[in-house]
């Protein structure tokens, strides 16, 4: 069980083709039946770009070179499991291969959607990163109490 004092680091890959975004439909307990981005946890000793390229290959069978990744957003997430998460989102507009479902036990579909017309059932965590990407926001919070301004004495 994760220690709630530590933060899990996730990478998310936004594969963008023109004005379309690739989403995968999840199976299982977390978000089953809902849409998500190719993503996963950072492995020990792995860089963020290496993790993003690994996840893209494992989940949708495309080869993305780290140099073709652009960091577009980071979100600090609370209440998405037993430990806080730090989600790092990368945009990729170049890759080799045609995206397809490489993990049918975890994913039931792989589809392209217009960035301005995403399905209603995208999991809130990746949706926060997608919205921030579209708005040009580099950092966000999800699930944390609203920050309070310090009182001056």
């Amino acid at each position: 069980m994760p220690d709630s004092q530590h933060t899990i680091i996730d990478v998310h890959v936004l594969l963008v083709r023109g004005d379309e975004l690739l989403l995968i439909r999840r199976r299982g307990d977390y978000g089953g039946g809902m849409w998500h981005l190719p993503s996963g946890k950072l492995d020990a000793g792995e860089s963020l770009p290496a993790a993003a390229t690994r996840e893209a290959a494992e989940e949708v069978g495309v080869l993305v070179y780290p140099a073709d990744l652009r960091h577009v957003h980071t979100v600090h997430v609370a209440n998405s499991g037993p430990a806080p998460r730090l989600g790092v989102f990368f945009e990729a507009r170049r890759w080799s291969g045609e995206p397809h479902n490489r993990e049918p036990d975890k994913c039931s579909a792989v589809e392209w959607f217009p960035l301005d017309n995403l399905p209603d059932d995208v999991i809130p965590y990746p949706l926060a990163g997608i919205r921030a990407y579209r708005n040009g926001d580099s950092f966000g919070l999800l699930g944390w109490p609203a920050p309070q301004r310090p009182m001056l004495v």
Side-chain angles (χ1 to χ4, degrees):
M1 180 162 162
D3 180 345
S4 63
Q5 294 183 15
H6 291 92
T7 300
I8 296 167
I9 300 173
D10 299 315
V11 294
H12 302 259
V13 182
L14 291 93
L15 293 172
V16 180
R17 180 179 73 183
D19 64 350
E20 294 181 309
L21 177 67
L22 186 85
L23 295 176
I24 58 175
R25 188 182 292 272
R26 293 205 35 104
R27 291 185 193 273
D29 294 336
Y30 174 70
M34 297 179 75
W35 294 99
H36 202 297
L37 293 165
S39 64
K41 293 179 193 148
L42 183 71
D43 288 343
E46 185 176 44
S47 72
L48 291 166
T53 61
R54 176 180 52 76
E55 290 294 343
E58 287 177 359
E59 294 191 4
V60 295
V62 298
L63 175 60
V64 179
Y65 290 101
D68 290 327
L69 292 169
R70 182 174 70 96
H71 172 255
V72 294
H73 185 67
T74 299
V75 62
H76 196 192
V77 182
N79 303 319
S80 182
R85 302 179 93 86
L86 192 66
V88 182
F89 291 76
F90 291 97
E91 174 198 56
R93 290 186 171 267
R94 292 175 35 144
W95 58 85
S96 297
E98 186 60 33
H100 61 283
N101 187 358
R102 296 250 350 238
E103 295 185 321
D105 57 320
K106 296 179 183 177
C107 173
S108 63
V110 174
E111 292 185 32
W112 292 99
F113 292 93
L115 270 164
D116 61 358
N117 191 24
L118 298 174
D120 293 332
D121 55 348
V122 177
I123 296 171
Y125 175 16
L127 184 59
I130 295 166
R131 286 182 174 155
Y133 164 70
R134 293 190 63 220
N135 294 335
D137 298 329
S138 63
F139 178 78
L141 295 171
L142 180 65
W144 295 93
Q148 301 294 316
R149 288 186 176 253
M151 293 185 59
L152 298 175
V153 244

